[in-house]
Amino acid sequence: SAVISQKPSRDICQRGTSLTIQCQVDSQVTMMFWYRQQPGQSLTLIATANQGSEATYESGFVIDKFPISRPNLTFSTLTVSNMSPEDSSIYLCSVVFTTNEKLFFGSGTQLSVL
Amino acid sequence: LAKTTQPISMDSYEGQEVNITCSHNNIATNDYITWYQQFPSQGPRFIIQGYKTKVTNEVASLFIPADRKSSTLSLPRVSLSDTAVYYCLDGTTGNTGKLIFGQGTTLQVKP
């Protein structure tokens, strides 16, 4: 099965700073997504990371706050910019290998903003 | 907005069969139905996927009626380690597809 490496696994950050989360997959994927999971809540889709072009953001999420890169078929980054305590969540990278295949998830990044 | 509706929580006892039903009132022709399991501090894990009728694998069965407006995840003889949140989704990841998670069902298995 696929290996999805997400780092950092956790971080504690100060208000107003930015954090970049990396997602590396050990084989090529067709789709990459970023989700957020706030404490005690379900997963919320932030955006679809598109290879070589701008990400597609869901309602309520904007590029200035959550810039995303996907330079190739196996790697993506999500940056949480100008953080506030409300950004404290688990951020999850997920991938799909073929159309209509299942989602594989990374282990997540636990972010706490003070 | 989530496309599916499922019970918020369920309780069971070890050794029992658990059935979790999900409503797919807005399912599209090309959508698959997929169930995921999530333990605390972990990302969701795929359990089972189907399009119609019945699918069975080593951990669960999935029942989908002909109209595909609902699905039922069946977990045979649950154990304490099956305590988790279970999510049902419908959709496709092809091309511009994406998968939206609903609220999930928290299953608590008691000894």
Side-chain angles (χ1 to χ4, degrees), chain A residues 31 35 37 42 58 100 103, chain B residues 36 38 92-93 98-99 102:
Chain A
M31 307 284 285
Y35 287 85
Q37 188 169 31
S42 180
E58 297 300 304
N100 286 334
L103 282 175
Chain B
Y36 291 85
Q38 187 180 29
T92 175
T93 55
K98 58 191 178 187
L99 292 179

Side-chain angles (χ1 to χ4, degrees), chain A residues 18-19 34 36 44-48 54-69 77-83 87 91:
Chain A
S18 298
L19 176 71
W34 287 96
R36 180 176 74 180
T44 301
L45 181 62
I46 298 172
T48 302
E54 188 173 293
T56 304
Y57 290 85
E58 297 300 304
S59 175
F61 297 96
V62 296
I63 188 172
D64 290 345
K65 176 67 176 177
F66 298 101
I68 289 170
S69 77
T77 66
L78 167 72
T79 299
V80 186
S81 303
N82 188 25
M83 288 183 285
D87 295 318
Y91 292 85

Side-chain angles (χ1 to χ4, degrees), chain A residues 30-31 33 35 37 41-45 48 58 90 92 96 98-108 110, chain B residues 30 32 34 36 38 41-44 46 49 87 89 91-104:
Chain A
T30 56
M31 307 284 285
F33 305 93
Y35 287 85
Q37 188 169 31
Q41 302 297 313
S42 180
L43 285 77
T44 301
L45 181 62
T48 302
E58 297 300 304
I90 298 173
L92 293 150
V96 175
T98 57
T99 301
N100 286 334
E101 253 302 337
K102 54 202 174 197
L103 282 175
F104 288 88
F105 283 84
S107 54
Q110 173 82 61
Chain B
N30 294 331
Y32 282 76
T34 313
Y36 291 85
Q38 187 180 29
S41 302
Q42 295 184 24
F46 171 86
Q49 183 182 72
Y87 296 97
L89 287 75
T92 175
T93 55
N95 297 320
T96 59
K98 58 191 178 187
L99 292 179
I100 304 299
F101 281 75
Q103 64 184 9

